[in-house]
Amino acid sequence: MTTDIKPAEAAAPAKVYQMLIDGQWVDAKSGKTFERLSPANGERVGTYPLADVEDVDVAVEAARRAFEKWSVSPAKQRHDILRAVAAKLRAEIAAQGQIMAKEVGKPLGMAMAEVAMSADVFDYYAGLSLDLHGESITQYVPDAIGLTIKEPIGVVGVITPWNFPLLLLSWKIAPALAAGCTLIAKPAQLTPGNTVELGRMVLEAGAPAGVMNVLTGPGSKIGQHMAEHPDIDKIAFTGSTEVGRTVMRAAASNIKKVSLELGGKSPNIVFKDANIDAAVAGAFFGIYLNSGQVCQAGSRLPVHESIKDEFMEKMINYTKTVKMGDPLDPTTTMGPVVDQNQLNTVEHYINAGKNEGANLLVGGERVMDNGLDKGLFVQPTIFDMVSNDMTIAQEEIFGPVLSVLTFKDADEALRIANDSMYGLAAAVWTNDLNTALKMAKGIKAGTVWVNSYHSAGLPNMPYGGYKQSGTGRELGHEGLNEYLETKAIQIKLN
Ligand code: NDP
C-alpha cells in the first residue's frame, strides 16, 4: 500500500480541487493532477492540479498586476477583508479541521484548534493593518525634518510545510495582506487542502483578483521556480533547513528578501525544584503533539540527575495513556506520521539510537495491531542514557521520539542546550526565578518558555530561530515588518 502522493489517473477522486490564479479557479496548464491519500488508512482525500513552472509565471504576472492597486488600497479595506477571513475560518472550523485531520493525520480536535488559532492571527493583523506607521526623526541639522514611511515589499512567494498547514500559512498570509503585498501560496503537496480553501475565503472576503493566488504542485519545481523568479520580491518559507538553504541560494538571483523558519532540536530542561507533574505533562505534550512532527518539538529532555528516575517513571505511565487511531475519532490522541518517507526517517533514527548505545525505554515500533496496519502509526518512543553527541540528540527526527539526557547543574544544562546547530525554542522547568532567568538569557533560541511548552502561536509574540533554525521573525510587529520596506524621507527646510 502507498499512503503518500501518487499519480491520480487510476481512481475516482474524493474531492477535486482547482488552483486560484487571478481570481479564477483553474487547472494546471498541463492538465496533470496528483492525489493525496490519508496517512491513517490510505483512502483518497483530494485530487489537486499538478502545477509546473508555466503556471507559476501566470500567477506571478497576476500578483504583480494586482499589486499596483492593492499596495495603495485603504487600510480599512484590508482590515475588513482580514476580519472577514477570520470570521469565515471560525464559521468553517469543523470542515477545515476535517480536511486537515485527513491530510496531516492529526486528531480532529487539534486540527480544529489550529483553525481557531489561525483565525486569531487574521484578527490580530486586521488590527495592525490600521496602524501602519513610520517615525518622525529629529535631524542632525536644525533646518530639516526626517520621516520614515512603511511600504509593502511587493509580490511574496509563500512556501509552507505539511505539519501545520493552516497556522504556518496564516502567519505569512495575514501580515502580507495587512502590509499591502500580493502573493502566491504554495502548500506542501501532502497537505494542500486548507491552503486552497483559504484562497477561496480570501477571495470571498473581497480581496481583488490576483491578490492571493494558490498553486499546488512539487516544491522542487514550482517552489524552486518561485525562489528563483525575478518578479517575486520576497519568499516566506517554513520547512527543512536543507530546503531553506536552497531557497536562500535561489533568492540571491534578484536579492529577494527571505524569511525562513526551519528545523529545531529543542531542549526541554527540568530542574530538581520543578513541579514534576507539570513538567511531565509538558514533556509529553512537548514531544508528542502532532506525532512529534513539530519544528519546535521538545525532542531533547535534559533532566536533573537527582529526579530522573521518578520523572521517567511518571513519563512512561503518561505515555501509556496515548490512544492512537483514526484522526476523526474524538477519542484519538495521536495520529500517524504524515507519509512513508517520514515513517522511514523515524525508523532510521530509532535504529541510530539503538546502534549508538542509547537505551530504548518505551516504544520504538510501528503499530500494526488494532486495525492500524493500513496507516503509518509509530509508538511513542523514549530513549534514555542519551549523550548529546549522539545522532538522535543532534538531528531533527520529526517524529514521536524523545531523547532523555541528565545534567548536574545549570552550567551543564546550558552547555547541553546550546550544543546544537539549531536554536528555535527551549523550555525550562523550575520554581527558582534566578535559575529561570539565567537559563532564559543563556539559551540561544528564538523562544524560551518557563514552566510551559508549545505556548507559541500567540499572534503578538515574535517567533523564529537563532542559528540554523532560520532567519527573520513571524508574528507580532516584527512579523509585519518582514513584509514592509522602510523609506526614509529627508525634508530640507528653507
Ligand atoms: P521540505 O523543506 O522539503 O518542504 C517544505 C516546503 O518546501 C514544501 O512546500 C515543499 O514542497 C517545498 N519545497 C521542497 N523543495 C523545494 C525547493 N527546492 N524550493 C522551494 N520549495 C521547496 O520539508 P518536508 O516537508 O519534505 O519535510 C522534510 C523534513 O523537514 C522533515 O522531516 C523535518 O525534519 C523538516 N520540516 C520542518 C518543518 C518546520 O516546521 N520547520 C516543517 C516540515 C518539515 P513539496 O511538499 O511539494 O515538496
Side-chain angles (χ1 to χ4, degrees), residues 444-494:
K444 297 193 187 326
T447 294
V448 180
W449 297 290
V450 177
N451 295 329
S452 72
Y453 207 94
H454 282 323
S455 38
L458 300 174
N460 57 354
M461 291 291 287
Y463 186 80
Y466 282 35
K467 301 191 262 182
Q468 295 191 38
S469 287
T471 179
R473 289 293 178 271
E474 302 197 280
L475 299 177
H477 286 258
E478 291 193 36
L480 183 59
N481 276 333
E482 295 282 340
Y483 298 90
L484 293 165
E485 294 277 21
T486 300
K487 180 177 284 172
I489 301 176
Q490 305 198 21
I491 305 162
K492 176 95 171 72
L493 304 175
N494 284 324

Side-chain angles (χ1 to χ4, degrees), residues 159-163 168 186-189 217-220 223-224 237-240 243 246-247 261-263 295 342 396 398:
I159 302 176
T160 44
W162 42 262
N163 55 342
L168 299 176
K186 189 228 109 46
Q189 263 186 294
S220 54
Q224 180 75 28
F237 173 87
T238 300
S240 60
V243 175
T246 307
V247 165
E261 198 264 278
L262 308 174
C295 49
Q342 204 59 35
E396 187 177 44
F398 233 62

Side-chain angles (χ1 to χ4, degrees), residues 27-221:
D27 297 322
K29 277 189 180 300
S30 67
K32 289 185 185 164
T33 59
F34 66 95
E35 280 186 352
R36 172 61 175 148
L37 306 183
S38 158
N41 56 28
E43 288 172 12
R44 283 184 304 280
V45 178
T47 300
Y48 296 90
L50 188 75
D52 210 326
V53 294
E54 60 265 26
D55 301 293
V56 176
D57 292 340
V58 178
V60 174
E61 276 171 31
R64 179 57 60 192
R65 272 195 307 278
F67 183 70
E68 296 254 317
K69 284 194 178 153
W70 182 250
S71 57
V72 291
S73 58
K76 179 74 169 62
Q77 181 188 358
R78 301 199 301 278
H79 164 273
D80 291 352
I81 289 170
L82 292 171
R83 286 263 182 241
V85 173
K88 280 174 186 294
L89 282 166
R90 291 195 183 99
E92 296 186 25
I93 188 166
Q96 295 305 318
Q98 286 210 5
I99 292 169
M100 194 187 302
K102 287 182 187 170
E103 290 193 347
V104 182
K106 69 175 68 175
L108 181 60
M110 290 178 196
M112 287 170 62
E114 182 176 338
V115 181
M117 288 167 75
S118 304
D120 290 347
V121 174
F122 276 89
D123 266 338
Y124 174 74
Y125 281 110
L128 283 196
S129 69
L130 296 177
D131 194 31
L132 288 180
H133 58 78
E135 295 174 305
S136 63
I137 295 169
T138 308
Q139 293 286 283
Y140 268 66
V141 288
D143 56 347
I145 295 174
L147 301 173
T148 62
I149 58 172
K150 296 287 185 181
E151 295 181 342
I153 275 183
V155 174
V156 179
V158 171
I159 302 176
T160 44
W162 42 262
N163 55 342
F164 289 87
L166 193 56
L167 190 63
L168 299 176
L169 181 74
S170 302
W171 288 8
K172 299 166 180 58
I173 305 277
L177 295 180
C181 294
T182 58
L183 58 99
I184 299 108
K186 189 228 109 46
Q189 263 186 294
L190 293 170
T191 57
N194 295 111
T195 307
V196 181
E197 297 279 351
L198 188 72
R200 170 181 59 73
M201 291 181 214
V202 169
L203 194 63
E204 287 173 359
V211 166
M212 175 165 171
N213 305 275
V214 179
L215 297 175
T216 53
S220 54
K221 275 196 174 172

Side-chain angles (χ1 to χ4, degrees), residues 274-342:
N275 175 331
I276 302 274
D277 289 332
V280 167
F284 179 85
F285 185 53
I287 183 61
Y288 297 125
L289 174 69
N290 206 24
S291 305
Q293 302 166 125
V294 183
C295 49
Q296 63 183 27
S299 51
R300 288 187 294 153
L301 186 74
V303 180
H304 191 268
E305 58 182 10
S306 66
I307 56 162
K308 190 215 155 197
D309 291 345
E310 179 192 354
F311 192 93
M312 291 323 298
E313 194 184 326
K314 292 188 171 183
M315 190 74 193
I316 290 166
N317 286 337
Y318 218 106
T319 305
K320 289 181 188 149
T321 65
V322 168
K323 164 122 180 354
M324 305 191 90
D326 178 359
L328 299 179
D329 177 343
T331 65
T332 294
T333 57
M334 198 165 126
V337 297
V338 77
D339 72 346
Q340 185 65 49
N341 281 341
Q342 204 59 35

Side-chain angles (χ1 to χ4, degrees), residues 234-444:
K234 174 191 162 79
I235 293 284
F237 173 87
T238 300
S240 60
T241 297
E242 187 190 340
V243 175
R245 203 172 275 124
T246 307
V247 165
M248 210 170 193
R249 242 183 253 120
S253 55
N254 64 333
I255 317 292
K256 280 182 192 65
K257 315 290 185 272
V258 285
S259 48
L260 306 173
E261 198 264 278
L262 308 174
K265 195 74 199 176
S266 301
N268 192 3
I269 304 164
V270 187
F271 283 86
K272 64 181 173 190
D273 66 336
N275 175 331
I276 302 274
D277 289 332
V280 167
F284 179 85
F285 185 53
I287 183 61
Y288 297 125
L289 174 69
N290 206 24
S291 305
Q293 302 166 125
V294 183
C295 49
Q296 63 183 27
S299 51
R300 288 187 294 153
L301 186 74
V303 180
H304 191 268
E305 58 182 10
S306 66
I307 56 162
K308 190 215 155 197
D309 291 345
E310 179 192 354
F311 192 93
M312 291 323 298
E313 194 184 326
K314 292 188 171 183
M315 190 74 193
I316 290 166
N317 286 337
Y318 218 106
T319 305
K320 289 181 188 149
T321 65
V322 168
K323 164 122 180 354
M324 305 191 90
D326 178 359
L328 299 179
D329 177 343
T331 65
T332 294
T333 57
M334 198 165 126
V337 297
V338 77
D339 72 346
Q340 185 65 49
N341 281 341
Q342 204 59 35
L343 181 72
N344 296 345
T345 303
V346 172
E347 287 177 338
H348 159 81
Y349 282 113
I350 289 173
N351 286 331
K354 290 179 190 165
N355 293 338
E356 291 179 25
N359 177 42
L360 180 62
L361 266 185
V362 175
E365 299 289 334
R366 182 173 176 184
V367 183
M368 298 298 280
D369 53 3
N370 295 329
L372 299 185
D373 56 316
K374 290 201 176 72
L376 304 163
F377 294 85
V378 182
Q379 292 173 330
T381 298
I382 303 177
F383 282 101
D384 76 346
M385 317 231 322
V386 176
S387 65
N388 204 50
D389 57 354
M390 288 182 183
T391 306
I392 58 170
Q394 287 294 324
E395 297 185 13
E396 187 177 44
I397 300 176
F398 233 62
V401 182
L402 178 64
S403 296
V404 181
L405 305 90
T406 51
F407 64 89
K408 287 188 174 55
D409 54 27
D411 287 340
E412 188 180 9
L414 198 54
R415 262 199 311 279
I416 291 172
N418 288 334
D419 177 19
S420 172
M421 69 178 221
Y422 295 115
L424 190 57
V428 183
W429 297 82
T430 176
N431 283 317
D432 183 83
L433 185 62
N434 192 53
T435 305
L437 290 179
K438 183 178 168 180
M439 295 299 291
K441 281 188 76 178
I443 293 172
K444 297 193 187 326

